């Protein structure tokens, strides 16, 4: 007994020394985190608690299967070989005689200081059903557990750090929820129904609609927490008369706001989690609803084991989203929290397999690496609580109109001498929408400095925060509306100018064919022409009796309704008209006919639009039906040659043959 008492005393001293070291090095650690790009790693700390026998004594027929070796290690019998034992090493081991204070002071209390640095922390109670998780977290009125002790110390710390004269103002809020059959239920407001879990742009886990109750003392905490605890789902099984049928999560937020420039804000979260125990339905005798609840509990704990294994193996995907529990514990395991896992085990041999499973999970969890960092942001828009009247918010002309005739006649010496001060007050307000945040922050700090020194001058920014934000929003909306109206006015002016130009062009007698309003109905097929040699064109131009064969473009002509009596013109399509002498055209047809009757397949391929296949068709048809008599009618009888192909064939070949004859004659 003496040895056990000295061991406990030594453990308490070590815990107190570690807590003092952590609290003294808190500010230094914060500066190091800010200096480095990536926050330093922090391993998940694991503590194992062995509860005593349920009946209080260990019988000779049922000796314990677990034995503690020292304050950090234990051994358990090997079920494969009873002459061997399995040894486990953890951050802390608490035996059967350990008290609630030992567990809290040794493992939980040192992490509370991180909340005041703007970092997150979490405490998880894990273990099989009936191992004492709820007793460790809640305890009893005689032996309070982790939750009441942590809240009592945390509220005391916030009162000390947020006292008058300290640089930070602190506030504490609490939320309490349970995960029952994969449903997130608010225990502070049971009528809210199933809530959803979201993630913001910075990776923080949020639950929209979750109740938050401000607390400033432990009495406030008990007033909210005790009724909510009675809303948690519990049930009786063969192993536990009050078995937790859901995972309970108590979320405590500590908000800090700096009283002086640069007006920083920090937020620290504390997760206190009482997990439901894994159950063997063969021993618990669960049926019906209890069996469904047990299945949901075991599934979520199985996903929790998968998350731990994925983090230890460095897998690219960690299955946080496979369960509501792991989604909510994303910060605690592999995230940004200082995490403590308290594994509760039972000494009875009938719980041997559950104990081994819990110890294996705890051994894997202590290899998980978290990276805590300070959740800090700047608040450049924090302003002093100074209220302005409507006359001060308005400009000089508006203020004069708002005053009325009587006040304007009577007046007072202060308004007559205050245009300069009013302009000084209003000039920053008129430029808030375009002011640089850094400049605004410096003006705020200077304003507070002048106020602290008792300066009689007008404050630089004397608008309260809410009114200033409303004013900035109104100015921004008005600017957007003005820009929208300007754009719309320009569009309407352009439209009116276009309509006037169109009306002027339609009624002007001098503009017969306005090209700008020419409509094109669709794409037209390309027109092809045969290019004649330059020498031939020059010879034809020199000859007095020679006819020059050209392709003329006959443009589309449109007669205006107002000029029908003056210039009647016919409307024609854009087309290429072939102008050639009838003798040359007849000679070209004759040459094509001779080539069709006497030429070989190779000669026929020299014609335009005639390929190897069509040349073979023409030769075969000539062998069967005799020579051709007419070009168009006979070629249309050939199988595979259509009328459109015949038309393009004549256009492509007659002019070429005629031009060749002209060259030969010359």
């Amino acid at each position: 007994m003496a040895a056990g008492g000295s061991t406990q005393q030594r453990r308490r001293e070590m815990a107190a020394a570690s807590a003092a070291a952590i609290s003294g090095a808190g500010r230094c650690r914060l500066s190091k985190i800010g200096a480095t790009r990536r926050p330093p790693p922090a391993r998940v700390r694991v503590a194992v608690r062995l509860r005593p026998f349920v009946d209080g004594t260990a019988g000779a027929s049922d000796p314990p299967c677990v034995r503690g070796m020292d304050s950090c290690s234990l051994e358990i019998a090997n079920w494969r070989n009873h002459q061997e034992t399995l040894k486990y090493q953890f951050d802390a081991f608490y035996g059967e005689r350990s008290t609630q204070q030992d567990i809290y002071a040794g493992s939980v209390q040192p992490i509370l200081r991180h909340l005041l640095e703007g970092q997150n922390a979490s405490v998880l109670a894990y273990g099989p059903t009936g191992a004492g998780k709820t007793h460790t977290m809640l305890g009893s009125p005689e032996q309070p557990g982790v939750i009441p002790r942590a809240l009592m110390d945390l509220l005391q710390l916030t009162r000390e750090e947020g006292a008058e004269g300290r640089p930070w103002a602190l506030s504490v809020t609490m939320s309490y929820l349970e995960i029952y059959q994969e449903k997130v239920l608010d225990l502070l407001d049971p009528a809210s129904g199933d809530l959803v879990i979201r993630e913001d742009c910075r990776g923080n886990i949020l639950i929209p609609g979750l109740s938050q109750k401000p607390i400033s003392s432990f009495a406030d905490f008990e007033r909210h927490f005790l009724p909510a605890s009675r809303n948690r789902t519990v049930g009786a099984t063969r192993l536990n008369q009050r078995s937790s049928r859901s995972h309970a999560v108590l979320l405590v937020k500590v908000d800090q706001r700096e009283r002086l420039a640069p007006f920083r804000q920090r937020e620290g979260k504390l997760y206190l989690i009482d997990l439901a125990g894994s159950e063997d339905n063969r021993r618990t005798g669960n049926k019906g609803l209890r069996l469904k609840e047990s299945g949901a509990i075991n599934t979520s704990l199985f996903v929790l084991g998968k998350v731990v294994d994925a983090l230890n193996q460095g897998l690219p995907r960690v299955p946080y989203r496979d369960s509501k529990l792991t989604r909510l514990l994303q910060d605690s395991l592999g995230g940004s929290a200082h995490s403590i896992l308290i594994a509760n085990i039972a000494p009875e041999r009938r719980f041997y397999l559950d104990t081994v499973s819990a110890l294996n999970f705890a051994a894997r969890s202590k290899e998980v690496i978290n990276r805590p960092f300070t959740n800090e942001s700047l608040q450049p828009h924090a302003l002093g609580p100074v209220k302005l009247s409507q006359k001060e918010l308005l400009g000089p002309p508006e203020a004069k109109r708002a005053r009325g005739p009587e006040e304007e006649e009577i007046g007072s010496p202060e308004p007559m001498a205050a245009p300069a001060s009013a302009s000084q007050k209003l000039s920053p307000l008129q430029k808030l929408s375009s002011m640089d945040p850094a400049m605004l922050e410096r003006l705020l700090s200077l304003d507070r400095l002048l106020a602290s020194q008792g300066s009689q001058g007008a404050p630089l920014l004397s608008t309260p925060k809410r009114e200033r934000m409303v004013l900035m929003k109104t100015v921004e909306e008005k600017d957007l509306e003005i820009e929208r109206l300007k754009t719309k006015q320009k569009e309407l002016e352009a439209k009116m100018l276009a309509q006037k130009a169109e009306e002027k062009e339609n009624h002007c007698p001098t503009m017969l064919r306005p090209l700008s309003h020419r409509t094109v109905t669709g794409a037209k097929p390309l027109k092809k022409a045969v290019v004649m040699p330059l020498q031939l064109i020059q010879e034809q131009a020199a000859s007095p009796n020679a006819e020059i064969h050209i392709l003329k473009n006959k443009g589309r002509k449109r007669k205006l309704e107002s000029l029908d009596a003056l210039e009647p013109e016919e409307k024609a399509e854009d087309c290429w008209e072939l102008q050639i002498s009838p003798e040359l055209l007849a000679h070209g047809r004759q040459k094509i006919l001779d080539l069709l009757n006497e030429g070989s397949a190779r000669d026929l391929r020299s014609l335009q639009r005639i390929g190897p296949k069509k040349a073979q068709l023409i030769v075969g048809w000539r062998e069967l039906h005799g020579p051709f008599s007419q070009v168009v009618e006979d070629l249309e009888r050939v199988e595979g040659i259509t009328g459109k192909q015949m038309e393009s064939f004549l256009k492509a070949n007659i002019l070429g043959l005629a031009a060749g004859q002209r060259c030969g004659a010359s």
Side-chain angles (χ1 to χ4, degrees), residues 101 122 147 220 433 459 481 619 653:
Q101 177 62 25
S122 62
I147 290 178
D220 295 340
S433 59
E481 186 176 0
V619 172
N653 290 281

Side-chain angles (χ1 to χ4, degrees), residues 21 37 90 107 125 246 264 282 323 361 430 441 480 547 579:
R37 291 185 178 179
F90 298 104
S107 297
S246 63
R264 294 172 295 175
R282 295 170 297 182
S323 173
F361 175 80
Q430 295 172 356
E441 182 180 344
L480 292 176
E547 294 183 1
Q579 295 183 357

Side-chain angles (χ1 to χ4, degrees), residues 191-473:
S192 59
D194 187 15
L195 303 177
V196 295
I197 301 176
R198 302 295 187 193
E199 183 176 357
D200 62 3
C201 58
R202 295 181 296 177
N204 298 323
I205 301 300
L206 306 174
I207 303 179
L210 183 64
S211 301
Q212 294 187 8
K213 302 295 184 181
I215 54 176
S216 58
S217 63
F218 190 75
D220 295 340
F221 168 71
E222 286 185 330
R223 187 175 68 254
H224 298 300
F225 182 76
L226 294 180
S229 298
R230 291 191 287 269
N231 295 329
R232 187 181 178 186
T233 307
V234 295
T237 63
R238 291 180 183 177
L239 302 179
N240 192 355
Q241 292 299 320
R242 287 186 57 83
S243 175
S244 301
R245 314 310 298 166
S246 63
H247 308 292
V249 180
L250 175 63
L251 174 59
V252 182
K253 289 185 180 180
V254 179
D255 291 326
Q256 306 178 63
R257 295 180 181 272
E258 199 170 13
R259 291 190 172 101
L260 300 176
F263 307 106
R264 294 172 295 175
Q265 180 184 6
R266 293 177 182 173
E267 183 185 67
K269 298 179 183 178
L270 175 62
Y271 295 90
L272 299 170
I273 305 163
D274 181 15
L275 298 175
S278 58
E279 296 181 348
D280 186 355
N281 295 316
R282 295 170 297 182
R283 293 191 290 114
T284 56
N286 292 330
K287 294 181 181 179
L289 180 61
R290 293 289 175 265
L291 184 62
K292 186 177 180 181
E293 294 170 349
S294 176
I297 293 170
N298 292 337
T299 301
S300 60
L301 294 177
F302 174 71
V303 176
L304 180 62
K306 288 172 58 178
V307 168
V308 172
D309 293 339
L311 291 172
N312 290 336
Q313 297 173 13
L315 299 180
R317 179 186 179 275
V318 181
Y320 288 116
R321 297 177 180 268
D322 292 358
S323 173
K324 296 288 184 66
L325 174 64
T326 54
R327 182 71 168 147
L328 195 61
L329 297 181
Q330 189 167 344
D331 281 342
S332 303
L333 297 175
S336 60
H338 296 271
S339 299
I340 301 292
L341 175 67
I342 303 176
N344 295 264
I345 58 176
E348 292 88 356
R349 285 190 174 273
R350 58 194 177 111
F351 294 110
Y352 174 80
L353 294 179
D354 295 332
T355 300
V356 172
S357 176
L359 291 175
N360 290 335
F361 175 80
R364 299 196 308 271
S365 298
K366 72 176 184 178
E367 304 297 332
V368 175
I369 302 298
N370 292 350
R371 294 190 176 274
F373 59 88
T374 300
N375 300 309
E376 185 177 279
S377 59
L378 294 177
Q379 297 295 323
H381 304 296
L383 296 173
V386 180
K387 294 184 178 180
L388 291 182
S389 62
Q390 184 180 5
K391 298 176 183 179
E392 292 176 336
L393 289 175
L394 297 175
E398 290 81 3
K400 186 178 295 184
R401 287 195 297 269
R403 278 203 301 265
E406 296 181 359
E407 296 179 10
E408 190 173 351
E409 291 178 0
I410 297 173
S412 63
E414 293 182 359
M416 295 299 294
S421 62
S423 63
Q424 290 177 1
K425 290 182 180 179
L426 291 171
S427 58
L429 294 175
Q430 295 172 356
K431 300 179 181 179
L432 283 177
S433 59
S434 60
M435 184 178 293
D436 188 16
M439 180 63 67
L440 181 60
E441 182 180 344
R442 295 181 62 183
L443 288 175
L444 290 172
S445 60
L446 183 58
D447 187 14
R448 292 183 179 274
L449 181 61
L450 293 175
S452 62
Q453 294 178 357
S455 177
Q456 300 299 326
L460 296 177
L461 292 175
S462 58
T463 307
K465 180 178 180 180
R466 183 175 298 176
E467 296 180 1
R468 187 177 63 83
M469 294 300 294
V470 172
L471 185 60
M472 289 177 61
K473 187 176 181 180

Side-chain angles (χ1 to χ4, degrees), residues 409-619:
E409 291 178 0
I410 297 173
S412 63
E414 293 182 359
M416 295 299 294
S421 62
S423 63
Q424 290 177 1
K425 290 182 180 179
L426 291 171
S427 58
L429 294 175
Q430 295 172 356
K431 300 179 181 179
L432 283 177
S433 59
S434 60
M435 184 178 293
D436 188 16
M439 180 63 67
L440 181 60
E441 182 180 344
R442 295 181 62 183
L443 288 175
L444 290 172
S445 60
L446 183 58
D447 187 14
R448 292 183 179 274
L449 181 61
L450 293 175
S452 62
Q453 294 178 357
S455 177
Q456 300 299 326
L460 296 177
L461 292 175
S462 58
T463 307
K465 180 178 180 180
R466 183 175 298 176
E467 296 180 1
R468 187 177 63 83
M469 294 300 294
V470 172
L471 185 60
M472 289 177 61
K473 187 176 181 180
T474 305
V475 171
E476 185 177 358
E477 291 177 355
K478 294 297 183 182
D479 291 341
L480 292 176
E481 186 176 0
I482 290 173
E483 292 295 332
R484 184 177 60 82
L485 292 176
K486 287 182 179 180
T487 305
K488 190 173 181 180
Q489 182 181 1
K490 290 181 180 179
E491 293 178 356
L492 292 176
E493 290 178 355
K495 190 174 180 180
M496 292 297 297
L497 291 176
Q499 290 179 356
K500 290 181 180 179
E502 185 177 359
E503 292 176 359
K504 185 176 180 181
E505 291 172 354
N506 290 337
H507 294 84
C508 181
T510 58
M511 300 179 65
L512 298 179
R513 291 183 296 274
L515 298 178
S516 58
H517 295 279
R518 178 178 177 181
T519 57
V520 181
T521 57
K524 298 180 180 179
L526 298 176
K527 306 301 187 298
K528 293 187 177 181
V530 178
V531 180
M532 299 175 62
L534 180 61
Q535 183 180 2
L536 177 60
I537 295 175
Q538 294 176 352
E539 292 177 356
Q540 292 178 355
S543 176
N545 298 326
E547 294 183 1
I548 301 177
H549 312 288
I550 59 174
L551 293 175
K552 288 187 177 180
N553 183 12
K554 299 179 69 178
R556 180 188 298 270
K557 297 181 180 179
R558 182 175 60 186
K559 59 182 179 180
L560 300 176
E561 296 178 358
S562 59
L563 302 176
D564 288 341
L566 298 177
E567 294 181 8
E569 296 181 359
E570 294 183 357
K571 185 176 180 181
E573 289 187 348
D574 284 342
C575 60
W576 291 89
E577 183 181 358
L578 182 64
Q579 295 183 357
I580 193 170
S581 62
E583 295 83 4
L584 211 56
L585 183 63
H587 183 73
R589 288 178 178 270
Q590 185 62 35
K591 288 197 66 174
I592 292 175
L593 189 62
D594 295 342
L595 188 59
L596 292 176
N597 291 329
E598 300 175 358
S600 61
R602 184 175 181 181
D603 298 334
L604 292 173
R605 285 201 302 270
S606 63
L607 296 174
Q608 298 284 341
R609 309 279 180 162
I610 298 296
K613 184 176 179 180
K614 292 181 181 179
Q616 294 294 335
L617 288 174
I618 293 172
V619 172

Side-chain angles (χ1 to χ4, degrees), residues 24-46:
R27 299 298 175 181
C28 297
R29 184 183 298 107
L30 177 63
S31 62
K32 291 180 181 179
I33 291 174
T36 57
R37 291 185 178 179
R38 193 175 184 185
R43 181 176 55 83
V44 175
R45 299 179 62 84
V46 178

